[in-house]
Amino acid sequence: MKTLFEFFQSLSLAERMLAYVLIAPFIGGVLAGIDRKLTARLQGRFGPPILQPFYDVLKLFQKERIVVNKFQNFNIILFFVFTVFSGALFFCGADILLMIFCLATAGTFFVLAGYSVSSPYSHLGAEREIIQMVSYEPMVILTAVGMYMVTGSFNVSDIAMYQKPLILALPGVFAGFLYILTIKFRKSPFDLSISHHAHQEIVRGLTTEFSGPALALIEISHWYENVLLLGIVYLFFAFNPWLGIVLTIAAYLFEIFIDNNYSRFKWQLTFLSSWLFTAVAGVSNIIVLHLIK
Amino acid sequence: MAWFKRSPWVLHYNATSCNGCDIEVIACLTPLYDLERFGIINTGNPKHSDILLVTGSVNEKSKHVLKTLYEQMPNPRVVVAVGICACSGCVFQDCYNVLGGADKVVPVDVYVPGCAARPESIIDGVLKACGILEEKYAQQKNTQQQSIKA
């Protein structure tokens, strides 16, 4: 493990970016497959094969392109590019604030894609996506602020090399981040704009008018985003790589567990509860950190 | 590679059926039959789906909806008529408003008879439709290549 970690450190910036761009979709796809299999088992079903997400995406690339607005796929491609770019920034050890705003830009293009088509379902999905972004964005920024207050640097490489356990200084921030991670992973109870389940319902809104390759790109961007978010979870336990990887996987399994145990919230409750949790867990943690320093 | 066989997404439309076949289609999603183990998802969105499941004898009111749904599906696409009403119109075929079978409106590829069709036979019909999807995709590719050559 140590040698693998040192090998990753020895790579140049471009090589690290390339490694992320090539490897992340495979990890993200397998994680999505494990998610579907586990969910099926929890519901008493046999479930699809682990590689099912890859089959879906490869099939979608073989389908016909149907376009209702000539800018809709342009927005989806920008969403994909910015998601991959923010992940690449993270894994090459760049500024975590830059990464966060890059990810927010990707989200904005996704909302624009929803608005660019004429379907009312898509518009509703886009509006819900904006509400979700407003709900999770404060906590994401607080995470970066908390990491800066402990390590003294916004650079991901410095935070990852910090030798003391970050989680002991930032338990509240970590809890808050886990809370909004459910929104970012598009898991129940916060799967308002795009749900992995409930294909016939309005919560499938944002993707209504996207078919074939565009839908595949949305799915692949989601995989990239998941790997990036799990990378942020890893940063909290970066003092011990083994422990970090185990607890990152545990966090993912925890999200699947939550997904299967809660019914969907209304948008008001999503918004209110995530801001309340951000204030109680995140902000208080940062205040305490400021006082004891 | 044969990706259509591994991930056929289904759209279900009830063209004035008695709901018997619809209940059997929903029964396919339950833990007992579990369609998802084949990668089959009931999408409810024509733009995401590959296979159109039609139930019920198509009549003057539902034929426009059926046609629109079929036209909104991206190629390659396959239609499966589930139940004897969707296959031929059954005892309703002489009614003044009934057209008599889904194939009067859209090209049907697989017929699944039965009143109501059993979940086993519906799953069998959908998996048969996957093979036809593959054929249609190969055909589509051939015509594209020929048009490029010409």
Side-chain angles (χ1 to χ4, degrees):
Chain A
M1 191 66 217
K2 204 117 206 178
T3 52
L4 195 73
F5 199 63
E6 274 160 11
F7 172 71
F8 191 73
Q9 296 283 325
S10 70
L11 293 174
S12 72
L13 278 187
E15 282 167 340
R16 278 193 225 172
M17 278 192 171
L18 201 69
Y20 168 74
V21 171
L22 294 178
I23 296 170
F26 289 98
I27 299 173
V30 169
L31 282 175
I34 292 170
D35 175 13
R36 280 179 69 174
K37 189 86 181 173
L38 259 180
T39 304
R41 284 294 164 91
L42 285 171
Q43 292 169 354
R45 295 184 288 118
F46 184 73
I50 297 283
L51 295 178
Q52 185 62 42
F54 295 106
Y55 302 152
D56 289 347
V57 161
L58 287 166
K59 178 209 70 175
L60 284 171
F61 274 119
Q62 293 183 337
K63 294 282 281 183
E64 186 189 11
R65 286 156 210 268
I66 294 185
V67 175
V68 288
N69 178 329
K70 59 183 168 186
F71 291 113
Q72 75 178 72
N73 287 356
F74 172 71
N75 282 325
I76 289 297
I77 288 166
L78 279 180
F79 165 57
F80 175 72
V81 167
F82 272 98
T83 311
V84 174
F85 182 61
S86 55
L89 280 178
F90 181 86
F91 281 92
C92 74
D95 199 314
I96 195 167
L97 278 178
L98 180 62
M99 185 278 290
I100 287 169
F101 286 112
C102 190
L103 199 61
T105 315
T108 314
F109 278 113
F110 193 37
V111 173
L112 274 179
Y115 275 127
S116 68
V117 294
S118 51
S119 164
Y121 297 108
S122 195
H123 284 199
L124 192 67
E127 277 157 15
R128 287 175 169 214
E129 178 74 17
I130 291 175
I131 292 287
Q132 287 188 4
M133 284 174 76
V134 173
S135 308
Y136 65 67
E137 218 55 72
M139 193 60 232
V140 177
I141 293 168
L142 276 186
T143 307
V145 170
M147 284 177 175
Y148 168 77
M149 285 178 80
V150 178
T151 63
S153 169
F154 276 119
N155 277 345
V156 176
S157 52
D158 294 338
I159 298 170
M161 294 308 285
Y162 192 69
Q163 289 307 316
K164 285 177 217 149
L166 213 55
I167 180 76
L168 290 184
L170 300 167
V173 168
F174 180 68
F177 188 72
L178 261 191
Y179 196 84
I180 59 112
L181 205 60
T182 320
I183 308 179
K184 291 288 266 178
F185 277 157
R186 307 190 183 290
K187 296 279 183 218
S188 192
F190 304 129
D191 49 349
L192 298 173
S193 66
I194 312 174
S195 175
H196 287 133
H197 323 291
H199 294 268
Q200 297 94 346
E201 291 172 29
I202 207 162
V203 290
R204 199 68 188 160
L206 202 50
T207 57
T208 305
E209 294 288 334
F210 297 100
S211 60
L215 195 61
L217 268 190
I218 294 175
E219 195 58 34
I220 295 174
S221 324
H222 187 54
W223 297 347
Y224 273 110
E225 200 180 355
N226 283 359
V227 173
L228 163 61
L229 293 167
L230 290 176
I232 299 178
V233 173
Y234 172 81
L235 278 188
F236 283 96
F237 309 100
F239 66 100
N240 183 342
W242 273 117
L243 185 73
I245 286 176
V246 169
L247 286 175
T248 306
I249 294 169
Y252 190 72
L253 295 179
F254 176 70
E255 293 297 338
I256 296 173
F257 184 70
I258 293 288
D259 183 34
N260 280 290
N261 276 294
Y262 283 88
S263 54
R264 197 168 295 117
F265 282 3
K266 286 181 179 170
W267 70 264
Q268 291 95 333
L269 188 55
T270 302
F271 179 72
L272 192 72
S273 68
S274 56
W275 272 42
L276 261 181
F277 207 82
T278 303
V280 172
V283 176
S284 62
N285 192 168
I286 293 210
I287 291 172
V288 168
L289 210 61
H290 180 73
L291 291 177
I292 57 174
K293 272 229 163 166
Chain B
M1 277 296 285
W3 303 121
F4 284 104
K5 250 182 199 162
R6 293 185 174 273
S7 143
W9 289 3
V10 164
L11 171 69
H12 169 219
Y13 176 59
N14 172 353
T16 54
S17 137
C18 69
N19 269 344
C21 292
D22 306 303
I23 289 167
E24 300 299 323
V25 169
I26 301 302
C28 297
L29 302 171
T30 57
L32 185 60
Y33 299 102
D34 187 27
L35 270 180
E36 208 192 349
R37 71 198 144 108
F38 302 114
I40 301 172
I41 292 177
N42 189 1
T43 58
N45 182 346
K47 299 213 166 157
H48 294 179
S49 49
D50 313 298
I51 298 173
L52 176 58
L53 285 186
V54 188
T55 54
S57 55
V58 183
N59 64 17
E60 291 291 337
K61 282 279 185 195
S62 62
K63 76 172 185 192
H64 304 292
V65 183
L66 183 58
K67 213 170 160 58
T68 315
L69 283 177
Y70 179 73
E71 280 163 0
Q72 281 184 346
M73 286 167 65
N75 276 319
R77 57 197 168 181
V78 166
V79 181
V80 180
V82 174
I84 191 67
C85 293
C87 292
S88 68
C90 190
V91 291
F92 308 108
Q93 58 185 332
D94 291 330
C95 292
Y96 66 95
N97 59 338
V98 166
L99 300 176
D103 51 3
K104 296 281 193 305
V105 185
V106 290
V108 175
D109 300 276
V110 181
Y111 294 88
V112 180
C115 181
R118 301 275 308 157
E120 291 94 334
S121 57
I122 295 173
I123 294 172
D124 196 35
V126 169
L127 292 181
K128 197 156 217 163
C130 298
I132 297 173
L133 262 180
E134 292 292 344
E135 277 171 32
K136 281 195 172 177
Y137 179 66
Q139 228 171 16
Q140 201 180 309
K141 245 183 153 177
N142 267 337
T143 44
Q144 267 174 5
Q145 276 168 354
Q146 276 168 1
S147 64
I148 288 167
K149 270 181 199 166

